[in-house]
Amino acid sequence: MLKRILVTGGAGFLGSHLCERLVEMGHDVICLDNFFTSQKANVMHLLDRPNFELIRHDITLPIWLEVDEIYNLACPAAPGHYQYNPIKTMKTSLMGSINVLGMAKRCRAKVLQASTSEVYGDPEVHPQPESYRGAVNPIGQRACYDEGKRAAEALFMDYHRMNGVPVRIVRIFNTYGPRMHPYDGRVVSNFIRQALAGEDITIYGDGSQTRSFCYRDDMVEGIIRMMNVADNFTGPVNLGNPEEFTIRELAELVVELTGSRSRLISKPLPPDDPTRRRPDIALAKSKLGWQPTMPLREGLERTIAWFRSIDISHYRPPTPRY
């Protein structure tokens, strides 16, 4: 069945790929974005499609639309972006959620919240299952994002329990791929940008901290499957790649794949930076029949090819320190 679908944050890295998939599926897609951290270029190729519409709007302000489904992806998701304006980040998570949930209640629409692995903080349990409640510093530099997303999950479940709104919650682990903002502060984009420029590659700490990297196509597939899951399963459900790599291993692989002569240099670890991060995806496997398929090496090759194809001068660093 074809639906009218709203994607907030639809011009962002993941949002633009989600819009692309939904348009190809034939749905009537409304992309809403305020372009705080995203690029209009990400969705330019969709503007002439009859089933795609772009609206410039800040989701912290109310908007009235008639839709069947809402994917709520609106929020700066990278440290370089969400720490640039932490109050704006928190407003987007809280007020944005209230606005999309109000719309979903009025329209009787299904609504999916793009939450994050950051709700687990610096985890004391490894890998992280959905039952783990996290170890988050509520007054730290990352709290605007971590606590904003945790509060948004609470709002989604309260609207579900109190008003019967059909909600879905996914917790997204590190994701990468073409259309990443080169200056978003994420480790993959930092390393590729520095390697292609022949600059020193900055590793924070000794590089022994770990992450799990999921390619964008796998992530979009998981998000769509969660929205369309048959029963009343609300989640939350982890979406991410369970393969674990150290930051140093990632840096060395990027240097190899780019053919760069960049050196690895170390800087102090930022406050509250998680030491380990790896999803337990047993629930996604059982409920959604989903697991990632893209190997890191191949995904990085595709991402590096995209970075080589862009004019990096068209992208603005979000903060002076980048």
Side-chain angles (χ1 to χ4, degrees):
M1 183 179 71
L2 299 184
K3 305 163 190 169
R4 191 168 202 203
I5 300 175
L6 170 65
V7 181
T8 70
F13 162 49
L14 267 181
S16 63
H17 290 292
L18 177 60
C19 285
E20 197 171 68
R21 277 286 303 277
L22 295 172
V23 166
E24 292 301 327
M25 293 166 69
H27 298 297
D28 190 6
V29 178
I30 303 171
C31 170
L32 185 148
D33 208 298
N34 68 347
F35 301 105
F36 177 55
T37 60
S38 57
Q39 307 288 315
K40 192 180 292 186
N42 286 345
V43 292
M44 283 291 289
H45 63 295
L46 298 174
L47 291 178
D48 61 351
R49 299 292 291 268
N51 57 332
F52 180 79
E53 181 179 356
L54 176 62
I55 300 175
R56 180 188 286 267
H57 181 81
D58 192 322
I59 199 58
T60 63
L61 302 172
I63 186 169
W64 285 265
L65 299 168
E66 302 297 327
V67 295
D68 302 306
E69 290 180 352
I70 305 169
Y71 290 84
N72 187 36
L73 274 65
C75 188
H81 285 157
Y82 64 66
Q83 292 178 20
Y84 174 64
N85 192 334
I87 296 171
K88 178 73 172 177
T89 297
M90 183 70 82
K91 282 183 175 180
T92 302
S93 283
L94 295 180
M95 297 165 67
S97 292
I98 290 170
N99 287 330
V100 299
L101 285 163
M103 186 190 305
K105 178 185 174 184
R106 179 178 58 81
C107 296
R108 299 181 181 178
K110 193 187 302 182
V111 55
L112 180 143
Q113 167 66 0
S115 191
T116 174
S117 61
E118 297 296 336
V119 301
Y120 299 123
D122 191 359
E124 299 153 331
V125 174
H126 193 79
Q128 295 80 58
E130 291 84 355
S131 58
Y132 177 55
R133 297 183 181 179
V136 175
N137 177 4
I139 59 172
Q141 292 180 8
R142 303 169 70 100
C144 60
Y145 186 64
D146 302 0
E147 297 288 28
K149 289 289 190 177
R150 286 163 69 95
E153 287 194 17
L155 280 166
F156 268 69
M157 291 309 299
D158 285 338
Y159 266 79
H160 175 65
R161 285 187 289 257
M162 300 300 294
N163 299 311
V165 174
V167 306
R168 303 285 187 268
I169 300 172
V170 294
R171 290 175 176 166
I172 297 174
F173 282 68
N174 290 57
T175 307
Y176 71 100
R179 294 187 205 150
M180 296 183 77
H181 194 298
Y183 294 100
D184 62 12
R186 287 185 171 104
V187 65
V188 171
S189 45
N190 277 355
F191 286 178
I192 294 176
R193 177 174 50 81
Q194 290 172 330
L196 291 178
E199 301 171 356
D200 291 338
I201 291 181
T202 307
I203 293 178
Y204 294 97
D206 62 5
S208 63
Q209 65 271 40
T210 67
R211 296 292 185 270
S212 303
F213 302 100
C214 187
Y215 190 66
R216 56 99 199 266
D217 291 352
D218 287 329
M219 183 58 63
V220 168
E221 177 65 25
I223 291 170
I224 292 174
R225 287 194 189 194
M226 181 58 175
M227 178 64 94
N228 296 321
V229 68
D231 59 15
N232 293 321
F233 177 57
T234 63
V237 62
N238 290 335
L239 294 181
N241 194 318
E243 290 191 43
E244 190 176 7
F245 298 88
T246 68
I247 297 300
R248 183 169 292 276
E249 285 174 335
L250 175 70
E252 291 170 349
L253 183 54
V254 168
V255 168
E256 176 195 337
L257 294 177
T258 56
S260 174
R261 296 185 178 181
S262 297
R263 299 178 304 131
L264 308 186
I265 63 168
S266 295
K267 289 189 176 181
L269 201 64
D272 302 321
D273 192 57
T275 53
R276 301 189 76 183
R277 182 61 56 73
R278 177 188 169 200
D280 180 334
I281 63 168
L283 192 59
K285 286 181 178 180
S286 64
K287 289 288 189 179
L288 311 179
W290 176 89
Q291 63 181 359
T293 60
M294 178 65 73
L296 180 61
R297 175 178 287 270
E298 184 179 345
L300 283 177
E301 287 173 345
R302 296 185 183 191
T303 307
I304 289 166
W306 179 80
F307 268 76
R308 290 187 190 277
S309 74
I310 63 171
D311 184 343
I312 203 164
S313 68
H314 293 168
Y315 295 82
R316 178 175 57 87
T319 71
R321 65 193 180 98
Y322 291 109

